Amino acid sequence: MAMLADLINSTLVFSAALIFAALGGVFSERSGVFNIGLEGMMTAGAFTAAIGTYYVQEAGGSGASPWIGLLCGIGAGTLFALLHAYATVTVKADQTIVGVVINILALAVTLYLVKFMFEGAGDTPLLDETFSMAAIPGLADIPFIGQAFFNNYPTTYLAYVLVPLSAYLLFRTPFGLRLRAVGEHPGAADTVGINVTKYRYIGVLISGALAGLGGATIVLTTTSNFAHNTISGQGFIAIAALIFGRWNPYGVFGAAFFFGMAQAVRIFITQFEFAAHIPNEFLYMLPYVLTLLVLAGVVGSVRGPSAAGTPYDPSKR
């Protein structure tokens, strides 16, 4: 039981970043805008979190440096989301193409800045201070459940909160109703006075903030620095979790947990002797193979928001 609790605990560590990014995708696509750029926004968030934390520590910052880095990551993701929103909502460019451009731009800019700022190095220095695991008093003492769920990083607890909060905002508030309306039938929403442009901007900006939070989470809990392979397709896995979870925050949590377990198993399995006979390449590719298999199995049977991917033209309502 102890090993299973540890596996679940590790799964939640890897799942947190996916949960944040996939939740961001829910808000964007529920508003009618595909966000293929989650990967780039996570990359920007990871880089900025590493840089922000590093320079605060260099300046003599105390235990607040990871939190400042986390805020920097959220800000960077939001900035790239603003570019995405302007191009897709205002200019009405193809949403898929814009997302691909965001991914390429974020990777190119962050790698250039790393080399520029650190004398040609391919990654940032290791951070002296990142988030530490913290047990929740009382809950952590519950047999099995405490070790599995309540002895983790602050970002994991934040994921616990954001899932039900996102579900409440989307399905229990006027804001959520309007956001979903512009993603399903923007012409009808416009007719009753809902500002389609405003709500699509909000949806995309929320997606960027959460994706940036996801990228920052990886740096501040797992890698302790930023390099070109820090994100390594996590944004695309988040998109798979978004589809597998059927654009529902609770479904997204379950899907992200599934993909996070694929990553946790890679590390967990190395504790056993037979792991020495399994090529490392096979273990590293496991999450991506599962992503492809899941997408192949569910894409044809799920339907996203009706207007997602289609720029809104008021003259054709």
Side-chain angles (χ1 to χ4, degrees):
M1 292 293 286
M3 293 182 67
L4 179 58
D6 288 340
L7 177 61
I8 293 174
N9 186 274
S10 297
T11 296
L12 289 167
V13 171
F14 289 108
S15 299
L18 297 176
I19 291 169
F20 294 138
L23 284 177
V26 170
F27 280 96
S28 182
E29 297 200 11
R30 283 285 186 176
S31 74
V33 181
F34 282 143
N35 195 349
I36 306 299
L38 289 177
E39 175 87 0
M41 295 170 193
M42 290 185 75
T43 300
F47 165 77
T48 314
I51 294 298
T53 304
Y54 174 77
Y55 281 112
V56 170
Q57 291 176 1
E58 286 292 294
S62 59
S65 60
W67 292 103
I68 294 174
L70 198 70
L71 293 175
C72 290
I74 293 171
T78 305
L79 179 60
F80 273 82
L82 182 61
L83 294 175
H84 187 60
Y86 175 76
T88 57
V89 180
T90 302
V91 180
K92 296 180 172 56
D94 183 280
Q95 296 174 7
T96 301
I97 293 175
V98 172
V100 171
V101 171
I102 290 291
N103 291 336
I104 296 172
L105 178 65
L107 183 60
V109 168
T110 53
L111 285 179
Y112 170 78
L113 290 176
V114 167
K115 290 183 177 295
F116 177 78
M117 298 169 72
F118 297 103
E119 301 179 349
D123 52 9
T124 63
L126 288 173
L127 299 173
D128 295 328
E129 187 175 50
T130 57
F131 287 126
S132 299
M133 286 192 171
I136 297 181
L139 293 177
D141 297 327
I142 300 173
F144 181 77
I145 293 176
Q147 175 58 28
F149 295 97
F150 299 112
N151 184 27
N152 219 303
Y153 294 105
T155 47
T156 303
Y157 301 135
L158 181 58
Y160 293 166
V161 174
L162 283 181
V163 170
L165 178 60
S166 298
Y168 178 79
L169 285 174
L170 283 170
F171 302 114
R172 294 288 186 271
T173 66
F175 165 78
L177 177 62
R178 292 166 186 159
L179 186 80
R180 289 183 289 119
V182 302
E184 292 291 346
H185 201 312
D190 194 8
T191 300
V192 297
I194 298 174
N195 190 324
V196 175
T197 298
K198 171 186 171 182
Y199 278 92
R200 287 194 167 183
Y201 259 85
I202 291 173
V204 176
L205 291 178
I206 291 175
S207 76
L210 290 175
L213 173 60
T217 296
I218 293 174
V219 166
L220 296 171
T221 62
T222 307
T223 66
S224 298
N225 76 334
F226 173 82
H228 72 279
N229 61 346
T230 296
I231 302 303
S232 294
Q234 296 291 297
F236 297 114
I237 296 177
I239 293 173
L242 163 68
I243 297 171
F244 192 27
R246 297 175 184 266
W247 295 269
N248 182 293
Y250 293 113
V252 160
F253 178 86
F257 186 88
F258 172 77
F259 290 122
M261 181 168 287
Q263 298 184 61
V265 165
R266 173 173 58 83
I267 297 174
F268 186 75
I269 203 172
T270 58
Q271 301 177 40
F272 301 95
E273 292 184 4
F274 68 83
H277 304 290
I278 302 176
N280 285 332
E281 292 79 6
F282 177 82
L283 296 177
Y284 276 100
M285 76 179 186
L286 183 60
Y288 307 101
V289 171
L290 288 177
T291 301
L292 291 174
L293 291 175
V294 166
L295 286 178
V298 305
V299 164
S301 61
V302 297
R303 184 188 70 85
S306 300
T310 305
Y312 175 57
D313 185 351
S315 66
K316 296 180 179 179
R317 68 182 184 185

